[in-house]
Amino acid sequence: MATELDRHAPVYVAGHRGLVGSALWRRLEACGYTNLIGASSAELDLRDRAETFTFLRRHRPAVVIDAAARVGGILANRDHPTEFLSDNLRIQVNLMDACLEVRTPRLLFLGSSCIYPKYAEQPIRESSLLTGELEPTNDAYAIAKIAGIMQVQAVRRQYGLRWISAMPTNLYGPNDNFDPASSHVLPALIRRFHEAKASSAPEVVLWGSGTPRREFLHVDDLADACLHLLEHYDAPEPINVGVGADVTIRELAELVARVVGYTGALSNDLSKPDGTPRKLLDVSRLLALGWKPSMSLEDGVAATYRWYVENVT
C-alpha cells in the first residue's frame, strides 16, 4: 500500500555529502522536499554516541535515510577489516539507537550486496542472506551491514516502527571516490584509463583475471528507488536494488576505455584478487513495486566520466 511522504516534514540524510547521500539530497530537492537535514562528518561524527543522540534529539526527523558508512574497494576492505567493522557498527548502532529514542517513524537503512554468501545462487534473492560463507575480502564490512539489517528487524518487531532496509548493487556516479588505492572498480577504471590516455601509455593493466561478473547501478537511479521504497515498501525483509543484468570486469574495462577514448592494450595482473565470481541481484520484488532503473550502463559511465573530468582532474 502506497504511503505518500510529507514533502515538508524533516528528512535527515546521514552521509549526505557522499556518493549515495549527495544523490539522495539531489533527488529529494528535485521532488520538492523542503526540510532536509544534513551534517558533514566534521560537524557530526556518527561514531560518537553522545554527539549522535544530541543531534537527533535536536532535529527529531520524520524520515531518516542512513547512507553514512565507511566504504572502499576490494583492497581497502581486505587490508583494513578492523576499521570497516568497527566504524560501520558504531555508525549504525548510534544512529538507530538515537532514532529509536526519538521514535523516528520512518527509517531506511542502506546495506550492500556483499551481505550475501560468496557462492549464493544467481541471481541472488533476498532469502539467500545467512545461508553460506561470505567473501573473505569484505566479510568485515558485510557483517556490519548484516547487523544493521538485524537491528532494523529487531526495532520493527519490538517497537512497531516502520523501518526498512535496502541492499544496493555496485554503485557509481558523481561524487564517487576515484582514489587509486581505495576506490571501487568502476571509478578506479575511469581514472586509470583517463591517465593512460593523457600519458599515451601503451597498456593498462587490470587487477585480477577480468572474468568476475558485476552489476552496476547509477547512484541517481538508486536515489529514485529509495524514495519509491519509502512510499511503497514496508516489510522486515531487506529488498534488493539493482538493474538485473551484469557484465564481466573485462567487458566493463572495454566499455570505460571506449568512453574515455583510450586505444591502447589491456592486460591482466593475476596476482590481484578477483573477489566473488559473480554478484547479480534478483530485483523482482522491487520491480513488482512499480520501479525500474532509467539509465543504461554506457550512458551512466559517460556521464560519470564527464563529471570526473570537470570536478576531479
Side-chain angles (χ1 to χ4, degrees):
M1 183 174 65
T3 305
E4 186 173 353
L5 297 176
D6 181 354
R7 275 14 182 203
H8 305 295
V11 178
Y12 170 41
V13 181
H16 78 293
R17 289 189 174 176
L19 169 67
V20 174
S22 61
L24 284 163
W25 194 278
R26 290 192 301 272
R27 185 63 182 166
L28 287 161
E29 284 188 327
C31 290
Y33 287 81
T34 61
N35 193 357
L36 301 182
I37 302 165
S40 69
S41 57
E43 297 166 327
L44 170 63
D45 184 352
L46 290 169
R47 297 171 300 178
D48 186 304
R49 191 167 178 85
E51 276 190 41
T52 304
F53 271 73
T54 299
F55 184 84
L56 267 295
R57 287 167 185 157
R58 182 165 70 248
H59 291 286
R60 296 184 174 271
V63 178
V64 170
I65 307 175
D66 183 8
R70 183 186 183 111
V71 298
I74 188 170
L75 291 183
N77 273 274
R78 187 193 67 182
D79 295 342
H80 300 283
T82 304
E83 291 83 1
F84 277 91
L85 181 65
S86 178
D87 286 355
N88 284 304
L89 283 173
R90 283 185 288 163
I91 288 168
Q92 296 162 193
V93 169
N94 291 342
L95 179 57
M96 284 196 249
D97 282 354
C99 287
L100 177 60
E101 184 191 76
V102 301
R103 293 299 192 271
T104 300
R106 198 74 165 130
L107 179 145
L108 170 58
F109 170 72
L110 288 168
S112 165
S113 59
C114 72
I115 64 164
Y116 295 116
K118 179 174 183 175
Y119 297 110
E121 182 181 348
Q122 305 287 323
I124 306 171
R125 299 184 299 274
E126 291 89 349
S127 58
S128 294
L129 181 62
L130 298 177
T131 61
E133 64 182 273
L134 299 167
E135 160 59 40
T137 55
N138 58 19
D139 54 3
Y141 180 76
I143 287 292
K145 289 300 183 179
I146 291 170
I149 296 169
M150 295 298 114
Q151 190 167 1
V152 165
Q153 293 176 339
V155 168
R156 286 183 65 100
R157 187 164 62 245
Q158 187 171 348
Y159 295 96
L161 295 174
R162 298 174 58 245
W163 292 10
I164 58 175
S165 57
M167 302 301 114
T169 190
N170 298 289
L171 302 169
Y172 70 99
N175 291 314
D176 209 338
N177 171 23
F178 294 87
D179 181 85
S182 60
S183 60
H184 289 97
V185 60
L186 206 161
L189 288 173
I190 286 176
R191 176 169 181 157
R192 201 173 303 164
F193 280 112
H194 176 81
E195 292 178 348
K197 179 186 177 184
S199 65
S200 300
E203 178 184 68
V204 168
V205 180
L206 306 178
W207 289 354
S209 67
T211 59
R213 302 187 67 88
R214 293 291 182 270
E215 176 183 17
F216 295 94
L217 177 71
H218 193 279
V219 72
D220 287 346
D221 273 340
L222 171 66
D224 185 57
C226 287
L227 269 62
H228 190 85
L229 289 170
L230 283 166
E231 295 193 330
H232 295 88
Y233 185 69
D234 186 22
E237 298 82 15
I239 186 165
N240 291 338
V241 183
V243 299
D246 59 5
V247 295
T248 67
I249 298 301
R250 177 77 183 199
E251 290 168 338
L252 177 68
E254 291 168 351
L255 187 157
V256 173
R258 186 165 64 250
V259 166
V260 171
Y262 176 75
T263 56
L266 303 183
S267 64
N268 296 89
D269 180 355
L270 299 180
S271 69
K272 294 292 193 295
D274 270 342
T276 301
R278 191 182 191 196
K279 198 162 59 173
L280 174 65
L281 295 182
D282 182 331
V283 293
S284 56
R285 293 175 65 222
L286 176 59
L287 297 179
L289 294 174
W291 181 87
K292 61 181 179 179
S294 62
M295 192 174 302
S296 71
L297 182 57
E298 184 144 5
D299 288 346
V301 169
T304 303
Y305 179 56
R306 286 194 299 271
W307 186 91
Y308 171 78
V309 170
E310 294 168 1
N311 295 274
V312 180
T313 59

